[in-house]
Amino acid sequence: MTILGSRGSERFNQWARTLLLAVTLPLLLAACAAPTRLTAVSEDRTTEAVVPGIPGARYWVDKEMEPFLQDAMQSFAREQAYLASTNHSGPLPPVYFLAISGGGDNGAFGAGLLKGWTEHGDRPMFKAVTGVSTGALIAPMAFLGPDYDDALEQAYTAVTQNDIFVERWFIAGVLSDALADTLPMTKMIERFVTQDFLDAIAAEYAKGRILLVGTTNLDARRPVIWNMTAIAASKAPSALPLFRKILLASAAVPGAFPPVMIDVELDGEHYQEMHVDGGAMAQVFLYPPSLHLAQQSAKAHIQRQRSVYIIRNARLDPDWADVERRTFSIAGRAISSLIHSQGIGDLYRIYLTSQRDGIDYNLAFIGADFDFEHKEEFDQEFMRALYKYSYELAKDGYPWRKSPPDFDDLDLTPGDEKAVTAGTPSS
């Protein structure tokens, strides 16, 4: 028997590796085949598809404003009926809007701010709450009020990566629909969004209040706004699973987390829409600028004071980094820069809309003075520090900004005041 020399051994090992790869790769590809789905709705009929059993569940506000406007007026009618039932008389009470942005584990900022605001003693009840991504997870509890502050604290200070996602083997992630599996987050959503939780939201719908969550229809590449209060009030058997799916979809970072497939119907046929993070279209939203709230209110003879509070779960100052000269580092840095710029643009859009419609503008964001190491996504120590940071600011009266960053130089901000404390909107 001849013993192989070093060169022969090397050739044998190379041949063996090639053979092993040739045999196993087809098996791996088969095992990691992309998940299947039902056909998407055709482009020309996208807006005609409905969610079975809940026809008024959502809006395509980039094109069709009438359904949104009709629901807004109906919510006012329900509010009037509710006020009459409480023997309210005199002028309409002020209304407050809350818009909560995306930001991943930076959502600890919003959670801490809401808790501190409650303790400061002047947190209002919001007429409407909107949420995107991590803001969508916060929004339902913020909508229901201070009774859910402790649940928010738990959600943003006691969780770790393992409570949100499980990393997939790299090849499986690349050949599937995401690099991670969000089954842990699905279970977490199921724990706090129960039927009792949904019933509580439905009760607020009857008072004329509105909870909205944004997702992105990736097939159509269009934003979708879901009326979560209408879904809860529908009492449809599918309402609870749909509510949960929408929250999961709004936080489904494309590529990192799996998309959420939502079943719809058109002409009796079944289709599926692929929905991902609402932040793919907007980091934060109030209502479509094309609504012209002031004009619509004047037509309906509605006069009242309005204020919007925006929680941007992110820093607005430049975030310096020594970027590695590697593909993933460069691409990741570029994408995060795009998200940062988009988020600032959203704040400008809401500001201009609110100024046009006579709405008092209030902005909160993570200040440059917060300096705590962020080791990984959903870093528990980081989230606890950020929660404490915003909580301490808010319990002493959060210094809300009256305009977006660097907007003062354009001289479009009424007055010279740059900040007010929480709960004390200017007229």
Side-chain angles (χ1 to χ4, degrees):
M1 181 174 63
T2 303
I3 300 176
L4 290 173
S6 60
R7 181 172 297 180
S9 177
E10 182 180 342
R11 287 178 179 173
F12 176 80
N13 290 336
Q14 183 178 1
W15 173 83
R17 287 194 297 269
T18 303
L19 178 61
L20 180 63
L21 183 61
V23 172
T24 59
L25 185 57
L27 297 176
L28 290 172
L29 292 175
C32 301
T36 59
R37 58 166 294 181
L38 295 182
T39 304
V41 182
S42 62
E43 179 181 2
D44 60 325
R45 304 198 66 188
T46 293
T47 61
E48 299 177 42
V50 297
V51 178
I54 316 178
R58 62 190 184 170
Y59 314 105
W60 301 91
V61 294
D62 58 336
K63 295 293 182 182
E64 300 178 351
M65 277 303 307
E66 191 59 30
F68 189 93
L69 178 59
Q70 288 179 357
D71 277 4
M73 297 308 298
Q74 289 172 10
S75 76
F76 176 67
R78 290 194 300 275
E79 182 188 7
Q80 283 186 308
Y82 171 72
L83 290 174
S85 71
T86 62
N87 297 319
H88 174 84
S89 61
L92 289 169
V95 292
Y96 304 95
F97 305 122
L98 176 65
I100 312 173
S101 85
D105 57 8
N106 279 334
F109 174 78
L113 190 152
L114 288 166
K115 174 73 170 181
W117 196 352
T118 297
E119 296 203 8
H120 189 252
D122 53 5
R123 174 178 161 183
M125 175 182 288
F126 300 103
K127 163 73 173 179
V129 178
T130 71
V132 171
S133 196
T134 198
L137 301 178
I138 296 172
M141 289 187 275
F143 179 79
L144 289 177
D147 287 347
Y148 287 83
D149 284 351
D150 291 342
L152 268 178
E153 179 178 4
Q154 182 76 9
Y156 283 92
T157 63
V159 301
T160 65
Q161 275 193 5
N162 293 334
D163 299 302
I164 306 299
F165 64 88
V166 176
E167 290 185 6
R168 289 171 172 164
W169 181 47
F170 181 74
I171 297 297
V174 170
L175 297 178
S176 186
D177 58 0
L179 296 175
D181 186 337
T182 50
L183 181 60
M185 182 161 64
T186 302
K187 297 297 184 183
M188 183 175 69
I189 291 173
E190 290 175 353
R191 283 195 299 271
F192 78 77
V193 181
T194 63
Q195 187 58 54
D196 288 344
F197 188 89
L198 213 63
D199 291 343
I201 289 176
E204 298 307 311
Y205 174 84
K207 301 175 185 177
R209 299 180 64 213
I210 304 172
L211 171 63
L212 304 174
V213 165
T215 66
T216 299
N217 181 320
L218 206 56
D219 297 314
R221 200 164 71 175
R222 295 175 65 175
V224 179
I225 294 180
W226 297 86
N227 188 333
M228 308 297 275
T229 26
I231 293 170
S234 72
K235 303 301 182 181
S238 58
L240 181 58
L242 177 63
F243 196 103
R244 292 167 171 171
K245 271 191 169 185
I246 293 166
L247 296 186
L248 185 64
S250 188
V253 180
F257 295 165
V260 174
M261 307 308 299
I262 295 182
D263 297 320
V264 295
E265 287 183 353
L266 178 62
D267 296 338
E269 299 292 329
H270 297 277
Y271 299 87
Q272 277 188 328
E273 297 174 345
M274 181 180 288
H275 286 257
V276 298
D277 197 323
M281 287 295 171
Q283 292 297 306
V284 63
F285 72 95
L286 178 57
Y287 57 82
S290 56
L291 179 63
H292 290 274
L293 182 60
Q295 290 182 10
Q296 298 296 337
S297 296
K299 288 180 183 179
H301 306 290
I302 301 172
Q303 294 184 348
R304 67 195 317 178
Q305 180 183 337
R306 298 181 177 92
S307 300
V308 58
Y309 291 89
I310 305 161
I311 299 177
R312 178 66 179 112
N313 291 304
R315 293 173 60 139
L316 302 185
D317 58 311
D319 179 23
W320 187 92
D322 185 0
V323 182
E324 288 185 279
R325 193 172 178 178
R326 296 181 180 274
T327 301
F328 285 114
S329 296
I330 295 169
R333 180 68 171 174
I335 292 171
S336 66
S337 298
L338 179 62
I339 292 172
H340 177 82
S341 299
Q342 178 200 37
I344 292 177
D346 293 333
L347 300 179
Y348 275 67
R349 184 187 66 252
I350 295 174
Y351 177 75
L352 291 175
T353 302
S354 65
Q355 293 298 289
R356 181 198 66 194
D357 290 339
I359 302 175
D360 179 57
Y361 181 95
N362 302 273
L363 170 64
F365 54 89
I366 303 173
D369 57 326
F370 179 74
D371 185 16
F372 195 92
E373 184 181 5
H374 190 218
K375 298 176 182 178
E376 60 181 8
E377 293 304 315
F378 302 100
D379 176 353
Q380 192 177 85
E381 291 185 4
F382 172 84
M383 289 189 291
R384 287 176 175 174
L386 183 55
Y387 180 93
K388 182 179 180 182
Y389 164 80
S390 58
Y391 166 78
E392 293 292 340
L393 283 173
K395 75 179 182 66
D396 293 331
Y398 189 86
W400 297 87
R401 279 289 304 253
K402 305 304 293 180
S403 64
D406 300 326
F407 205 84
D408 300 325
D409 294 338
L410 300 182
D411 197 30
L412 293 178
T413 303
D416 296 324
E417 187 180 24
K418 301 298 187 296
V420 294
T421 56
T424 55
S426 60
S427 61

